[in-house]
Short mmCIF file of all heavy atoms in Angstrom, two decimals:
data_model
loop_
_atom_site.label_atom_id
_atom_site.label_comp_id
_atom_site.label_asym_id
_atom_site.label_seq_id
_atom_site.Cartn_x
_atom_site.Cartn_y
_atom_site.Cartn_z
N ARG A 36 -0.99 -4.21 -28.32
CA ARG A 36 -1.17 -5.59 -27.87
C ARG A 36 -1.75 -6.46 -28.98
O ARG A 36 -1.34 -7.60 -29.18
CB ARG A 36 -2.09 -5.62 -26.66
CG ARG A 36 -1.43 -5.11 -25.37
CD ARG A 36 -2.42 -5.04 -24.25
NE ARG A 36 -1.78 -4.62 -23.00
CZ ARG A 36 -2.45 -4.30 -21.90
NH1 ARG A 36 -3.77 -4.35 -21.88
NH2 ARG A 36 -1.79 -3.92 -20.82
N ASP A 42 1.49 -10.78 -34.40
CA ASP A 42 2.89 -11.15 -34.65
C ASP A 42 3.18 -12.59 -34.23
O ASP A 42 3.82 -13.35 -34.94
CB ASP A 42 3.83 -10.23 -33.86
CG ASP A 42 4.17 -8.97 -34.65
OD1 ASP A 42 3.93 -8.97 -35.86
OD2 ASP A 42 4.68 -8.02 -34.04
N LYS A 50 7.26 -8.16 -31.22
CA LYS A 50 7.51 -8.84 -29.94
C LYS A 50 8.94 -9.36 -29.84
O LYS A 50 9.48 -9.51 -28.75
CB LYS A 50 6.53 -10.01 -29.78
CG LYS A 50 6.80 -11.18 -30.73
CD LYS A 50 5.80 -12.28 -30.60
CE LYS A 50 6.24 -13.52 -31.37
NZ LYS A 50 6.60 -13.27 -32.77
N ALA A 57 9.61 -11.26 -40.10
CA ALA A 57 9.30 -12.35 -41.03
C ALA A 57 7.83 -12.71 -40.95
O ALA A 57 7.22 -12.66 -39.88
CB ALA A 57 10.15 -13.58 -40.73
N ALA A 94 21.32 -12.19 -40.45
CA ALA A 94 21.30 -12.46 -39.02
C ALA A 94 20.04 -13.19 -38.57
O ALA A 94 20.04 -13.85 -37.54
CB ALA A 94 21.44 -11.15 -38.24
N ALA A 97 17.97 -15.49 -43.29
CA ALA A 97 17.33 -15.32 -44.60
C ALA A 97 18.40 -15.06 -45.66
O ALA A 97 19.40 -14.38 -45.39
CB ALA A 97 16.35 -14.16 -44.56
N SER A 123 28.66 2.82 -55.47
CA SER A 123 28.91 2.01 -54.28
C SER A 123 27.70 1.14 -53.94
O SER A 123 27.84 -0.04 -53.61
CB SER A 123 29.27 2.92 -53.10
OG SER A 123 29.63 2.17 -51.98
N VAL A 133 22.70 -9.58 -54.85
CA VAL A 133 21.40 -9.02 -54.45
C VAL A 133 21.04 -7.91 -55.42
O VAL A 133 21.89 -7.10 -55.79
CB VAL A 133 21.48 -8.47 -53.00
CG1 VAL A 133 20.16 -7.82 -52.61
CG2 VAL A 133 21.82 -9.58 -52.02
N GLY A 146 19.79 23.12 -46.10
CA GLY A 146 19.63 23.33 -44.67
C GLY A 146 18.53 22.51 -44.03
O GLY A 146 18.45 22.43 -42.81
N VAL A 148 18.13 19.17 -44.57
CA VAL A 148 18.68 17.84 -44.30
C VAL A 148 20.19 17.99 -44.36
O VAL A 148 20.71 18.86 -45.07
CB VAL A 148 18.18 16.79 -45.32
CG1 VAL A 148 18.72 17.07 -46.71
CG2 VAL A 148 18.56 15.39 -44.88
N PHE A 152 20.59 11.52 -46.67
CA PHE A 152 20.12 10.41 -45.84
C PHE A 152 19.60 9.32 -46.78
O PHE A 152 19.02 9.61 -47.84
CB PHE A 152 18.98 10.83 -44.91
CG PHE A 152 19.39 11.80 -43.82
CD1 PHE A 152 18.42 12.51 -43.11
CD2 PHE A 152 20.71 12.01 -43.49
CE1 PHE A 152 18.78 13.39 -42.11
CE2 PHE A 152 21.09 12.89 -42.49
CZ PHE A 152 20.12 13.59 -41.80
N GLY A 159 14.17 -11.15 -48.16
CA GLY A 159 14.90 -12.39 -48.37
C GLY A 159 14.04 -13.58 -48.01
O GLY A 159 12.95 -13.42 -47.43
N ASP A 166 16.86 -25.92 -41.52
CA ASP A 166 16.20 -27.13 -41.03
C ASP A 166 17.22 -28.14 -40.52
O ASP A 166 17.12 -28.65 -39.39
CB ASP A 166 15.34 -27.76 -42.13
CG ASP A 166 14.14 -26.90 -42.48
OD1 ASP A 166 13.61 -26.23 -41.56
OD2 ASP A 166 13.73 -26.90 -43.65
N LEU A 180 16.85 -16.45 -34.03
CA LEU A 180 16.42 -15.38 -33.15
C LEU A 180 17.40 -15.14 -32.01
O LEU A 180 18.14 -16.04 -31.60
CB LEU A 180 15.04 -15.70 -32.57
CG LEU A 180 13.89 -15.89 -33.56
CD1 LEU A 180 12.60 -16.18 -32.81
CD2 LEU A 180 13.72 -14.66 -34.44
N GLY A 194 35.71 -10.86 -35.88
CA GLY A 194 36.89 -10.05 -36.19
C GLY A 194 37.03 -8.86 -35.25
O GLY A 194 36.33 -8.75 -34.24
N LEU A 223 28.27 -9.58 -45.14
CA LEU A 223 28.95 -10.74 -44.55
C LEU A 223 28.41 -12.08 -45.06
O LEU A 223 28.32 -13.06 -44.32
CB LEU A 223 28.83 -10.68 -43.03
CG LEU A 223 29.50 -9.46 -42.39
CD1 LEU A 223 29.24 -9.44 -40.89
CD2 LEU A 223 30.99 -9.44 -42.68
N ILE A 271 40.88 -6.91 -30.97
CA ILE A 271 40.82 -5.45 -31.09
C ILE A 271 42.22 -4.94 -31.41
O ILE A 271 43.21 -5.38 -30.82
CB ILE A 271 40.26 -4.80 -29.80
CG1 ILE A 271 40.24 -3.28 -29.93
CG2 ILE A 271 41.00 -5.25 -28.57
CD1 ILE A 271 39.47 -2.59 -28.83
N HIS A 330 23.95 -17.05 -14.02
CA HIS A 330 23.41 -15.71 -13.77
C HIS A 330 22.67 -15.27 -15.02
O HIS A 330 22.61 -16.02 -16.02
CB HIS A 330 24.53 -14.72 -13.42
CG HIS A 330 25.69 -14.74 -14.38
ND1 HIS A 330 25.62 -14.21 -15.64
CD2 HIS A 330 26.94 -15.26 -14.26
CE1 HIS A 330 26.77 -14.37 -16.26
NE2 HIS A 330 27.60 -15.03 -15.45
N VAL A 345 29.23 -6.29 -17.85
CA VAL A 345 29.15 -5.48 -19.06
C VAL A 345 27.70 -5.03 -19.22
O VAL A 345 26.83 -5.81 -19.59
CB VAL A 345 29.60 -6.28 -20.30
CG1 VAL A 345 29.47 -5.43 -21.56
CG2 VAL A 345 31.03 -6.78 -20.14
N PRO A 354 27.17 9.42 -31.93
CA PRO A 354 25.98 9.52 -32.78
C PRO A 354 26.31 9.44 -34.26
O PRO A 354 27.43 9.71 -34.69
CB PRO A 354 25.43 10.92 -32.43
CG PRO A 354 26.13 11.34 -31.19
CD PRO A 354 27.44 10.64 -31.19
N ILE A 356 26.62 6.94 -36.52
CA ILE A 356 27.63 6.02 -37.05
C ILE A 356 27.08 5.21 -38.21
O ILE A 356 27.81 4.51 -38.90
CB ILE A 356 28.14 5.07 -35.96
CG1 ILE A 356 27.02 4.16 -35.46
CG2 ILE A 356 28.81 5.82 -34.84
CD1 ILE A 356 27.51 2.92 -34.76
#
Side-chain angles (χ1 to χ4, degrees):
R36 286 175 177 170
D42 272 345
K50 70 182 190 309
S123 185
V133 177
V148 67
F152 292 164
D166 291 327
L180 300 180
L223 298 176
I271 178 169
H330 49 74
V345 178
I356 64 161

